[in-house]
Amino acid sequence: MIQITFPDGAVRQYEAGVTALDVAKSISEGLARKVLAAEVNGEVWDATRPIEQDAALKLLTWDDKGGQNTFWHSSAHLMAEAIEEQFPGVKFWVGPPVENGFYYDVDLGGRQMHEDDLKAIEKRMNELAKQSNPYIRKPIAKAEAVAYFEEKGDEYKLDLLQNLQDGEITFYTQGGFTDLCRGPHIPHTGFIKAIKLTNIAGAYWKGNEQNKMLTRIYGVTFPAQKQLDEYLQMLEEAKKRDHRKLGKELSIFTFDDDVGQGLPLWLPNGTIIIEELEKLAKETEQDAGYKRVVTPHIAKESMYLTSGHLPYYQDSMYPPMELDGTKYYLKAMNCPHHHKIFAAEPKSYKDLPLRLAEYGTCYRYEQSGELFGLMRVRCLHMNDAHIYCTKEQFAQEFRAVNDMYLKYFKIFGIEKYVMRLSLHEPSKLGQKYIDEPELWIETENMVREVLKETGTPFVEVPDEGAFYGPKIDVQIWSAIGREFTLATNQVDFAQGRRFKLEFTNHNNEAETPLIIHRAPLGTHERFIGFLLEHFAGKFPAWLAPLQVKILPISDKFMDYAKSLLAQLKKWDIRAEIDERNEKIGKKIRDTELMKVPYMLVIGEKEQAEGKVAIRRQGKGDMGTEDAAVFIENLKAEISERSKP
Amino acid sequence: MIQITFPDGAVRQYEAGVTALDVAKSISEGLARKVLAAEVNGEVWDATRPIEQDAALKLLTWDDKGGQNTFWHSSAHLMAEAIEEQFPGVKFWVGPPVENGFYYDVDLGGRQMHEDDLKAIEKRMNELAKQSNPYIRKPIAKAEAVAYFEEKGDEYKLDLLQNLQDGEITFYTQGGFTDLCRGPHIPHTGFIKAIKLTNIAGAYWKGNEQNKMLTRIYGVTFPAQKQLDEYLQMLEEAKKRDHRKLGKELSIFTFDDDVGQGLPLWLPNGTIIIEELEKLAKETEQDAGYKRVVTPHIAKESMYLTSGHLPYYQDSMYPPMELDGTKYYLKAMNCPHHHKIFAAEPKSYKDLPLRLAEYGTCYRYEQSGELFGLMRVRCLHMNDAHIYCTKEQFAQEFRAVNDMYLKYFKIFGIEKYVMRLSLHEPSKLGQKYIDEPELWIETENMVREVLKETGTPFVEVPDEGAFYGPKIDVQIWSAIGREFTLATNQVDFAQGRRFKLEFTNHNNEAETPLIIHRAPLGTHERFIGFLLEHFAGKFPAWLAPLQVKILPISDKFMDYAKSLLAQLKKWDIRAEIDERNEKIGKKIRDTELMKVPYMLVIGEKEQAEGKVAIRRQGKGDMGTEDAAVFIENLKAEISERSKP
């Protein structure tokens, strides 16, 4: 008998050779029907692979990233089987899962693949899936594997085999298709209930332009048709909400060749959003006892040698400016500058916690191929702060940071989020991780407790902490269900020591503070990109660049329109009059395109009675109201930062 | 007879050979007593030099920079005479006027000059001044001049003579001292009524460290003892108000070796001032119809080649960062980025005037020897904006900019200011100045009219315009009478064309806008440096980092103190409690040092009656008041941005 330990700590006895699927069945048939793979001692395995020794076991379903990846990788094999039937002699390179689905790179031997072929392959995949063919794992000797692909004449798989050691090679077979593959795979093809092949593209072999161009076929699959339908609908919606498209239509930002790639210029409308976000952050941080600082965008090489960013982070930094024998770097992060402010004046325990905040602009040199709208840029306006505290203050400070994240999620209507808590690996202390075993355990525990106590959804990720402490990556989902990485939140025991930061503790001794790095609103670039998609450009009134458009039915009502405008401006409400000599229908349509929250239609009756006919973005006609009442309501909507 | 034309356009006839002093006497004896020199056809001359031909004449007195410089340069000669008497064989290099006074670099032949010597020289200068010895100009042949200094053994003057042409060499003699000098000088030494030698320093010959170290003796002189007394008092006061000293004492800013010279880090107190200034600017600019933008701090080389900053301005820029074959520069000015925003979307006359504002941070590489506290830095947070307008809109826009300057002067209690209007020189059109003679005249006239109409004090400076248009340098004086250059304000016809900026005019034709560059609050760096001196660190309440300090007489009143604090915070008033267990006297003294506008002393009586005992910075005890009344008054003082 062997001992199987479950994630909740429970331990059960099984016969050696038991599979994860057997274990699942021993719990319930319903569970077994959902198991796609299993994590055995932290490694993802086939659910059907025998477990011979005591092991920690986690059953993986569609809800686990590991389950999804296994599902999509198996789908790539299924697609390969269908392709091989339709394009005999096709040669295969690799077929990995990706963020949303999978692809396979193939060499069609000079043949072309068209839209029609995709349909046919999709159809055949559906037939093969219905056969519920098992994915069969077979360890194989290297010589035998080489002989197999030599006979098949597949130079790509032979290339892969070159780098594999005898004894670690496996084949996987389902139906009539066999592939060189380390796995894992789902139990059988019957799990794949919904299939969509999405795209054909060219891809150089090994990503090298000197090599042959292969054909890359993308697809996505799901365990249920409903999921695929929802996914396709989400894609359709995402296209409409593309932040680059909306950013242009709503005059939010622009790029310019002479300024440089990845360096957005914020137009007046985008700048209003930036300033509203900064106002929110400053208010929130002021209430939370933060102090603001302003630091230069450059520093000398010596500072980044102290921090350790040089040489390790050098590739992500712009190259130095060298003058009078000194190298200056554009800052890629604000922390070292803040540490210098901490160090500028002597500190005692009475000064802690010290929370230094700055909307600091950092520059990171992303490869040009990686740049994407506002999502991947080279200029980052960061909602940054560093909290310097004692060990005793840490838990409370960390909790306050977490609360701030949750407060923001509420304001922006972010309903789905998860914190990825990355932990250290004890065997790598002193190598990958700073050698402070007690501080690691202590802070990890405190962080975990805070997340539990506040009911914040989180997952733990072993062996992915930062060098200097546990790290939280904040994942959020937009209104249409797309995932974004918003920010990270880090505990730091190392930088304080590197910068020789000290405070005098209660015992009159010098002590190094703990540091929390946090940026709840991430960067303006990524967050505004996210918000454009999340709100489909229909910002809540407090964020909308233009909040009210006054539409006089004719010039006769211009004076009334102007008096309304003056009243709105008095309360700093962003308003304009459509002074064009156009029909009211056109004025409404044009304003609708700019997604202005409120339109006030002004005619004879409204003027006579001091009223406004209100149209709310997305809701249409809201009836007529006293102008003064409308203004009062809007003031409240703005100051409360209500959602639409 | 020759014709003398006066600055007001009047013309009078005089005998050829008349001197400026003769002319002055012909007007009034009182005037003649004040004339120090004269501008003859734009060149500064001795007032005693005969004028042989028709000329434009401006009499220069102490009130003219040219008069002052002549006075101080003549004082340097007077000092030289006294030095030569006390240090026979001394050799002289140069003795120019400087911002406040003059110096002379001398070679004492190994002798040392001490404080006592200065006293003796000063005494002797006073005696020589009383002799009213005339400064006598004598044109001299080069050979004769060389012979004179060879005999005297003065290799420094011989070095100067090498670079002078025969026919342009003059000697000046007063009393027993003769110098090689192009002049001009005041009529006689009797004008010099008050003398103070201020400093002895070392200075390498020609500023080159390889050369011999000379002795530099600084002095300052005035036409009246009262002026000297006032000047010395101002110096004394300026020392107390030194912005570097106050900046440290009040925790406003700091520098750090690892960040770099000339790159201030703004501490929380300084950041509060920055944010209040930005708030003021944003409110003011919003009321004036500006739109805000945000642009990156870098751009590609191509942008600065288009703007023309490269190569002409290259020496003042940080060197490029070169990556993937592209050179990126840190921006030294915001204009090109703003032009790109103008160009991002098509514009029509309906979009103009477009006023784009940004507190843009620029970087300029000042030589390390030039750096000085916040006054000369390498990082500049600039209150920048660019106004794009039609020719027809120009006068009104320029006037609005001027009004904004005046508004700010009033808020900050800047009572003395002058605009230096720099004009083009018609003969240099197409070379030093863009060849648009009509636009030059038109805009210069419009600018001049605005300055006149608004009663703004200004002086005209010929031949100092920017390449692309007339320029205004804004000079302001602090409360203690020191002069600062705050900002410049420029009209620009060139950049619009270089960047191919266009709008569609009423005739549906493409037209290039005029551009006004303006920055009324200059840079945070220089302006906060100025304000520290101007207010001696005693900021008005709205700018003060800490506005109220609550001083409980004992711990018994801590609850009341806390309730007061909560009430103040509710209105965003920056307040703190002095919670230390110290005597009230010490609490008051310590708070006084931090120059907090209001202290509230809290004891038995105040707590019982809901009152506060108020101490106002600089005014002391202001009596007792209801807490609510105090808060209402302070709210008004802050929101009105009242001066102390």
Side-chain angles (χ1 to χ4, degrees):
Chain A
M1 298 294 277
I2 58 171
Q3 291 204 338
I4 297 293
T5 309
F6 293 89
D8 61 0
V11 179
R12 291 170 74 169
Q13 308 275 334
Y14 289 93
E15 296 281 342
V18 70
T19 69
L21 205 54
D22 296 335
V23 172
K25 279 179 187 158
S26 78
I27 298 168
S28 91
E29 280 295 333
L31 174 61
R33 275 194 297 275
K34 293 202 293 180
V35 168
L36 299 174
E39 223 174 88
V40 179
N41 296 327
E43 203 181 319
V44 184
W45 279 28
D46 301 329
T48 54
R49 184 166 163 192
I51 304 170
E52 304 290 354
Q53 285 169 330
D54 290 354
L57 178 74
K58 187 183 174 200
L59 300 171
L60 299 177
T61 68
W62 180 256
D63 295 333
D64 303 290
K65 198 74 205 156
Q68 262 183 35
N69 280 340
T70 305
F71 189 91
W72 280 332
H73 180 47
S74 299
S75 301
H77 278 232
L78 182 68
M79 178 172 77
E81 184 179 3
I83 292 172
E84 199 168 42
E85 285 185 15
Q86 312 236 344
F87 291 85
V90 59
K91 295 170 189 172
F92 294 96
W93 172 232
V94 291
V98 289
E99 206 189 328
N100 288 298
F102 56 87
Y103 68 77
Y104 219 125
D105 282 351
V106 303
D107 180 351
L108 296 170
R111 288 165 290 185
Q112 293 291 313
M113 190 179 284
H114 302 288
E115 203 55 36
D116 288 354
D117 298 311
L118 282 195
K119 290 272 163 253
I121 295 164
E122 215 174 274
K123 184 160 174 276
R124 182 61 185 145
M125 284 172 75
N126 273 306
E127 291 163 9
L128 292 167
K130 289 210 177 75
Q131 293 173 10
S132 295
N133 297 320
Y135 288 84
I136 299 160
R137 180 176 189 273
K138 177 183 167 197
I140 190 164
K142 185 164 181 172
E144 206 181 328
V146 169
Y148 178 86
F149 284 109
E150 274 178 349
E151 200 193 314
K152 207 175 167 189
D154 192 330
E155 66 265 32
Y156 300 103
K157 294 294 175 184
L158 288 168
D159 184 90
L160 286 177
L161 276 166
Q162 275 180 13
N163 298 313
L164 297 178
Q165 301 298 317
D166 209 359
E168 68 177 18
I169 300 168
T170 49
F171 276 11
Y172 272 87
T173 301
Q174 95 276 4
F177 179 74
T178 295
D179 207 347
L180 169 71
C181 181
R182 71 158 64 92
H185 284 283
I186 57 177
H188 60 77
T189 60
F191 280 82
I192 303 169
K193 302 283 195 203
I195 300 166
K196 175 74 185 172
L197 300 192
T198 49
N199 199 13
I200 311 173
Y204 292 107
W205 185 41
K206 297 183 177 179
N208 182 338
E209 299 175 26
Q210 309 300 317
N211 289 343
K212 191 168 181 180
M213 172 82 87
L214 303 178
T215 303
R216 176 170 293 179
I217 305 133
Y218 284 96
V220 65
T221 52
F222 289 92
Q225 184 61 36
K226 184 159 169 281
Q227 287 166 305
L228 175 60
D229 294 344
E230 282 168 2
Y231 175 75
L232 294 176
Q233 200 187 340
M234 187 271 277
L235 277 194
E236 196 57 39
E237 190 57 35
K239 225 154 106 186
K240 282 189 231 155
R241 293 173 178 234
D242 185 318
H243 79 276
R244 295 165 303 170
K245 178 175 157 284
L246 286 172
K248 194 176 162 62
E249 285 170 13
L250 304 179
S251 297
I252 305 292
F253 66 95
T254 189
F255 287 101
D256 187 282
D257 279 348
D258 282 334
V259 175
Q261 282 187 293
L263 299 168
L265 295 150
W266 292 93
L267 302 176
N269 284 349
T271 305
I272 289 169
I273 299 172
I274 282 183
E275 297 201 338
E276 287 292 351
L277 292 176
E278 293 195 4
K279 189 160 163 262
L280 168 65
K282 286 178 185 182
E283 279 175 25
T284 307
E285 287 162 6
Q286 180 169 312
D287 289 349
Y290 288 62
K291 293 179 175 180
R292 303 199 75 77
V293 296
V294 172
T295 63
H297 299 91
I298 58 176
K300 281 158 68 178
E301 180 184 36
S302 57
M303 185 143 94
Y304 298 110
L305 289 170
T306 302
S307 71
H309 288 106
L310 289 178
Y312 304 109
Y313 197 72
Q314 188 155 26
D315 285 350
S316 297
M317 293 172 76
Y318 275 80
M321 295 167 276
E322 195 163 356
L323 203 62
D324 293 347
T326 303
K327 286 183 183 169
Y328 294 90
Y329 281 86
L330 208 49
K331 70 178 171 188
M333 63 295 299
N334 299 304
C335 18
H337 282 87
H338 290 187
H339 301 340
K340 289 294 189 180
I341 285 187
F342 181 95
E345 296 175 318
K347 296 281 182 293
S348 91
Y349 66 91
K350 292 177 195 160
D351 298 309
L352 304 193
L354 180 70
R355 310 175 191 94
L356 298 180
E358 178 176 25
Y359 246 108
T361 312
C362 299
Y363 289 83
R364 295 182 184 169
Y365 198 79
E366 300 276 353
Q367 294 304 310
S368 62
E370 308 265 298
L371 297 172
F372 177 71
L374 293 176
M375 286 298 147
R376 286 285 219 139
V377 289
R378 288 177 175 168
C379 171
L380 303 97
H381 289 79
M382 203 178 291
N383 172 223
D384 217 350
H386 295 90
I387 300 172
Y388 303 82
C389 64
T390 66
K391 281 194 216 61
E392 297 71 38
Q393 292 164 337
F394 175 79
Q396 190 178 338
E397 288 304 309
F398 193 82
R399 184 177 179 128
V401 168
N402 196 66
D403 287 349
M404 199 180 282
Y405 274 93
L406 301 182
K407 177 191 158 169
Y408 286 139
F409 292 162
K410 210 164 165 187
I411 288 175
F412 293 101
I414 295 167
E415 285 164 9
K416 186 174 171 195
Y417 53 87
V418 68
M419 308 283 191
R420 292 180 82 245
L421 169 57
S422 296
L423 307 170
H424 80 299
E425 161 55 46
S427 66
K428 296 181 186 166
L429 283 174
Q431 300 149 46
K432 189 172 165 187
Y433 303 106
I434 186 167
D435 195 8
E436 290 273 13
E438 282 159 28
L439 267 175
W440 274 103
I441 291 166
E442 206 178 323
T443 52
E444 284 177 3
N445 283 341
M446 286 192 286
V447 168
R448 191 183 289 111
E449 277 313 301
V450 168
L451 293 171
K452 279 185 183 164
E453 278 171 26
T454 52
T456 310
F458 74 104
V459 293
E460 298 197 18
V461 191
D463 198 16
E464 286 198 8
F467 171 70
Y468 46 70
K471 186 179 79 166
I472 285 184
D473 289 295
V474 183
Q475 305 294 117
I476 59 174
W477 278 259
S478 76
I480 56 166
R482 283 220 309 163
E483 185 178 357
F484 291 77
T485 301
L486 174 63
T488 66
N489 184 3
Q490 295 172 9
V491 185
D492 179 352
F493 340 120
Q495 293 284 315
R497 209 162 306 169
R498 293 186 80 116
F499 279 88
K500 301 192 171 56
L501 304 185
E502 286 181 348
F503 66 95
T504 309
N505 67 17
H506 281 84
N507 304 324
N508 213 23
E509 298 157 344
E511 192 177 319
T512 301
L514 281 179
I515 304 171
I516 300 173
H517 304 238
R518 45 110 281 173
L521 297 178
T523 64
H524 283 322
E525 287 73 14
R526 182 168 289 198
F527 194 56
I528 293 176
F530 166 82
L531 291 179
L532 278 164
E533 170 173 315
H534 186 59
F535 292 124
K538 296 164 189 167
F539 288 101
W542 70 277
L543 270 181
L546 184 64
Q547 296 168 323
V548 177
K549 189 110 182 184
I550 303 169
L551 311 181
I553 288 178
S554 89
D555 276 1
K556 282 202 295 178
F557 313 111
M558 198 55 84
D559 283 348
Y560 181 49
K562 282 183 182 162
S563 84
L564 278 175
L565 184 70
Q567 286 176 65
L568 290 162
K569 294 242 172 204
K570 207 176 91 186
W571 298 106
D572 286 330
I573 294 170
R574 298 183 287 270
E576 272 178 14
I577 300 173
D578 188 340
E579 298 195 1
R580 296 174 306 162
N581 190 13
E582 298 283 0
K583 291 240 166 61
I584 190 69
K586 177 157 173 59
K587 287 185 178 182
I588 291 173
R589 280 193 305 279
D590 290 351
T591 309
E592 194 70 38
L593 286 179
M594 290 306 287
K595 308 191 196 307
V596 181
Y598 287 98
M599 294 182 228
L600 303 182
V601 180
I602 304 297
E604 192 70 52
K605 193 168 175 314
E606 287 76 20
Q607 175 167 289
E609 298 174 9
K611 295 196 179 249
V612 291
I614 305 166
R615 289 186 70 90
R616 180 70 173 97
Q617 222 297 329
K619 292 183 181 160
D621 190 351
M622 307 286 285
T624 298
E625 185 72 85
D626 281 346
V629 173
F630 167 77
I631 293 175
E632 278 310 307
N633 290 342
L634 179 55
K635 272 165 59 186
E637 183 179 340
I638 291 169
S639 72
E640 289 160 15
R641 298 193 171 99
S642 308
K643 285 179 287 291
Chain B
M1 299 294 278
I2 57 169
Q3 292 203 336
I4 298 293
T5 310
F6 293 89
D8 62 0
V11 178
R12 291 170 74 169
Q13 307 277 333
Y14 289 94
E15 296 281 342
V18 72
T19 69
L21 204 53
D22 297 334
V23 173
K25 280 178 186 159
S26 79
I27 298 168
S28 92
E29 280 294 333
L31 175 61
R33 275 195 297 275
K34 294 201 294 182
V35 167
L36 300 173
E39 222 174 272
V40 179
N41 296 327
E43 203 180 320
V44 184
W45 279 28
D46 302 329
T48 55
R49 184 167 163 190
I51 304 169
E52 305 291 354
Q53 286 171 328
D54 290 354
L57 178 74
K58 186 182 175 202
L59 300 170
L60 298 177
T61 69
W62 180 257
D63 296 332
D64 303 290
K65 197 75 206 158
Q68 263 183 34
N69 280 340
T70 305
F71 189 91
W72 281 332
H73 180 48
S74 298
S75 302
H77 279 232
L78 182 68
M79 178 172 77
E81 185 179 2
I83 291 172
E84 199 167 42
E85 286 185 15
Q86 312 235 345
F87 291 84
V90 60
K91 296 170 190 173
F92 294 97
W93 172 232
V94 291
V98 290
E99 205 189 330
N100 288 299
F102 56 88
Y103 67 78
Y104 218 125
D105 282 351
V106 304
D107 180 352
L108 296 170
R111 289 165 290 185
Q112 294 291 314
M113 191 180 283
H114 302 287
E115 203 56 35
D116 287 352
D117 298 312
L118 280 196
K119 290 274 163 247
I121 295 165
E122 213 175 275
K123 182 159 174 275
R124 182 61 185 146
M125 284 173 74
N126 273 306
E127 290 163 8
L128 293 167
K130 288 209 179 77
Q131 295 173 8
S132 295
N133 298 320
Y135 288 84
I136 300 160
R137 181 177 189 271
K138 177 183 165 195
I140 190 164
K142 184 164 180 171
E144 207 181 326
V146 168
Y148 178 87
F149 284 107
E150 274 177 349
E151 200 194 315
K152 206 175 168 188
D154 191 330
E155 64 266 32
Y156 302 102
K157 295 293 174 183
L158 289 168
D159 184 273
L160 286 177
L161 276 166
Q162 275 179 14
N163 298 313
L164 297 178
Q165 301 298 317
D166 209 358
E168 67 177 17
I169 300 168
T170 49
F171 276 11
Y172 272 86
T173 302
Q174 96 277 3
F177 180 74
T178 295
D179 207 347
L180 169 71
C181 180
R182 72 158 64 91
H185 285 283
I186 56 177
H188 60 76
T189 60
F191 282 81
I192 303 169
K193 303 281 195 202
I195 300 165
K196 175 75 186 173
L197 301 191
T198 49
N199 199 13
I200 311 172
Y204 291 107
W205 184 41
K206 298 184 177 178
N208 183 338
E209 299 174 28
Q210 308 300 316
N211 290 341
K212 191 169 181 180
M213 173 82 86
L214 303 178
T215 302
R216 177 171 293 180
I217 306 134
Y218 285 96
V220 66
T221 52
F222 291 92
Q225 184 61 38
K226 185 163 169 277
Q227 287 167 306
L228 175 59
D229 295 344
E230 283 168 4
Y231 175 74
L232 293 177
Q233 200 187 340
M234 187 270 276
L235 277 194
E236 197 55 38
E237 190 58 36
K239 225 154 107 187
K240 283 189 229 154
R241 293 173 179 233
D242 186 317
H243 79 274
R244 294 164 304 170
K245 178 176 158 284
L246 286 173
K248 194 175 162 63
E249 285 170 13
L250 304 178
S251 297
I252 305 292
F253 65 95
T254 189
F255 288 100
D256 188 282
D257 279 348
D258 282 333
V259 175
Q261 281 187 294
L263 298 168
L265 294 150
W266 292 93
L267 302 176
N269 284 349
T271 305
I272 288 169
I273 299 172
I274 283 183
E275 297 202 337
E276 287 292 352
L277 291 176
E278 293 197 3
K279 189 161 163 263
L280 168 65
K282 286 178 186 182
E283 279 175 25
T284 306
E285 287 162 7
Q286 180 170 312
D287 289 348
Y290 287 63
K291 294 179 174 180
R292 302 198 76 77
V293 296
V294 172
T295 63
H297 299 91
I298 58 174
K300 282 157 68 178
E301 180 184 35
S302 57
M303 185 142 94
Y304 298 110
L305 290 169
T306 301
S307 71
H309 288 107
L310 290 178
Y312 304 110
Y313 198 71
Q314 189 155 25
D315 285 350
S316 298
M317 294 172 75
Y318 276 80
M321 296 167 276
E322 194 163 358
L323 203 62
D324 294 347
T326 302
K327 285 182 183 168
Y328 293 90
Y329 281 87
L330 207 48
K331 71 178 171 188
M333 63 294 300
N334 300 303
C335 17
H337 282 88
H338 290 187
H339 300 340
K340 288 296 188 181
I341 284 186
F342 180 96
E345 297 175 317
K347 295 280 182 297
S348 91
Y349 65 93
K350 293 176 196 162
D351 298 309
L352 303 194
L354 180 70
R355 310 176 191 91
L356 298 180
E358 177 176 26
Y359 246 108
T361 313
C362 299
Y363 290 83
R364 294 183 186 169
Y365 198 78
E366 299 277 352
Q367 293 304 310
S368 62
E370 307 265 299
L371 297 173
F372 176 72
L374 293 176
M375 286 298 147
R376 287 284 218 137
V377 288
R378 289 177 175 166
C379 171
L380 304 97
H381 289 80
M382 204 178 292
N383 171 224
D384 217 349
H386 295 90
I387 300 171
Y388 303 83
C389 64
T390 66
K391 281 194 218 62
E392 297 71 37
Q393 292 165 337
F394 175 79
Q396 190 178 338
E397 288 305 308
F398 192 82
R399 183 176 181 129
V401 167
N402 197 66
D403 287 349
M404 198 180 282
Y405 274 92
L406 302 182
K407 176 190 158 170
Y408 287 139
F409 292 161
K410 211 162 164 187
I411 288 175
F412 293 101
I414 296 167
E415 284 164 11
K416 186 175 172 194
Y417 51 88
V418 68
M419 309 282 191
R420 292 181 82 245
L421 169 57
S422 296
L423 307 169
H424 80 300
E425 160 55 45
S427 67
K428 295 182 187 165
L429 283 174
Q431 300 147 47
K432 189 172 166 187
Y433 302 106
I434 187 167
D435 195 7
E436 291 272 13
E438 282 160 28
L439 267 175
W440 274 104
I441 291 166
E442 207 178 322
T443 51
E444 285 177 3
N445 283 341
M446 286 193 287
V447 168
R448 190 183 290 112
E449 277 313 302
V450 168
L451 293 171
K452 279 186 184 165
E453 279 172 24
T454 52
T456 308
F458 74 106
V459 292
E460 299 197 18
V461 192
D463 197 15
E464 285 198 8
F467 171 70
Y468 46 70
K471 185 178 80 165
I472 285 185
D473 289 296
V474 183
Q475 305 294 116
I476 59 175
W477 279 260
S478 75
I480 56 167
R482 282 220 310 163
E483 184 178 357
F484 291 78
T485 301
L486 175 63
T488 66
N489 183 4
Q490 296 172 8
V491 186
D492 179 352
F493 340 121
Q495 293 284 314
R497 210 163 305 168
R498 292 187 82 116
F499 279 89
K500 299 192 172 57
L501 305 185
E502 285 182 349
F503 66 95
T504 309
N505 67 17
H506 282 85
N507 303 324
N508 213 23
E509 297 157 345
E511 194 177 317
T512 301
L514 281 178
I515 304 171
I516 300 172
H517 304 238
R518 44 110 282 173
L521 297 178
T523 65
H524 283 322
E525 287 73 14
R526 183 167 290 198
F527 195 56
I528 293 176
F530 165 82
L531 291 178
L532 277 164
E533 169 173 316
H534 186 58
F535 292 124
K538 297 164 188 166
F539 288 102
W542 70 276
L543 271 180
L546 184 64
Q547 296 168 322
V548 177
K549 190 110 182 184
I550 303 169
L551 311 182
I553 288 178
S554 89
D555 276 1
K556 282 202 295 180
F557 313 111
M558 199 56 84
D559 283 348
Y560 180 50
K562 283 184 182 161
S563 84
L564 279 176
L565 184 70
Q567 285 175 66
L568 290 163
K569 294 242 172 204
K570 207 176 92 187
W571 298 106
D572 286 330
I573 294 169
R574 297 183 287 269
E576 272 177 12
I577 300 174
D578 188 339
E579 300 194 0
R580 296 174 307 161
N581 190 13
E582 298 281 1
K583 292 240 166 63
I584 189 69
K586 177 159 174 57
K587 287 185 180 184
I588 290 173
R589 279 193 306 280
D590 289 351
T591 309
E592 195 69 38
L593 285 179
M594 290 306 286
K595 307 189 197 309
V596 181
Y598 287 98
M599 294 182 226
L600 304 182
V601 180
I602 304 298
E604 192 71 51
K605 192 170 176 314
E606 287 75 20
Q607 175 167 290
E609 297 175 10
K611 295 197 181 244
V612 291
I614 306 167
R615 288 186 71 89
R616 180 71 172 96
Q617 222 297 328
K619 292 182 182 161
D621 190 352
M622 306 286 285
T624 298
E625 186 73 87
D626 281 346
V629 173
F630 167 76
I631 293 176
E632 277 310 306
N633 290 343
L634 179 54
K635 272 165 61 185
E637 183 179 341
I638 292 169
S639 72
E640 288 160 15
R641 297 192 170 98
S642 308
K643 284 179 288 293

